[in-house]
Amino acid sequence: MAVVHRPKTISVITIIAIVLVLLAFPMLFMPSIKRMGDFIPMILGIIITLQFVSLIGIWHMKQWGVQLFITIFCLRVITFMFLEMYTARFYFNIFYSVIFIVFFLIHYRKMDANL
């Protein structure tokens, strides 16, 4: 297995993204989220957890991390639209996620295709 060196831009972006995901975690315990339904906090928790897992994959320069990040981004946007959660956080998530995806795709070929 070849050692893949992580570019500094990926390191910085991944650290920023991990911090943003960890800041999103308390959203699960907001009363407004709990009032939406019994399964809504669970669904949002799964989305946040899978986004964190994708960032760990990207940190280790794995292509599956980028693929999972893009998939979870689309799932998160669809979920927020379905729940009609059009807040500033929603638009900020789309903005930074698209920027991160562009940087991840620039370095996608350098990443390891194996698990």
Side-chain angles (χ1 to χ4, degrees):
M1 179 162 91
V3 176
V4 180
H5 295 286
R6 182 175 46 256
K8 290 184 183 193
T9 57
I10 293 292
S11 298
V12 170
I13 289 173
T14 306
I15 289 171
I16 292 169
I18 288 173
V19 169
L20 290 172
V21 167
L22 292 177
L23 289 175
F25 184 71
M27 177 182 71
L28 300 174
F29 303 105
M30 292 173 51
S32 60
I33 299 294
K34 290 183 179 181
R35 274 185 260 138
M36 289 182 171
D38 293 334
F39 294 106
I40 301 303
M42 179 189 65
I43 292 168
L44 294 177
I46 290 170
I47 290 172
I48 291 171
T49 304
L50 288 175
Q51 190 174 17
F52 182 77
V53 169
S54 73
L55 291 169
I56 299 302
I58 293 168
W59 180 262
H60 289 288
M61 294 296 289
K62 302 293 184 178
Q63 288 181 353
W64 62 262
V66 175
Q67 296 164 358
L68 184 61
F69 188 86
I70 293 170
T71 304
I72 294 303
F73 166 71
C74 294
L75 181 65
R76 187 178 67 219
V77 168
I78 291 169
T79 303
F80 277 46
M81 289 174 67
F82 179 71
L83 296 174
E84 297 180 0
M85 295 176 60
Y86 299 111
T87 61
R89 175 183 282 258
F90 172 74
Y91 297 110
F92 180 69
N93 282 337
I94 291 175
F95 176 73
Y96 80 76
S97 293
V98 169
I99 291 173
F100 292 171
I101 288 170
V102 168
F103 279 102
F104 295 154
L105 290 177
I106 289 171
H107 298 289
Y108 185 77
R109 291 183 185 231
K110 298 176 190 172
M111 295 181 178
D112 188 14
N114 299 321
L115 291 177

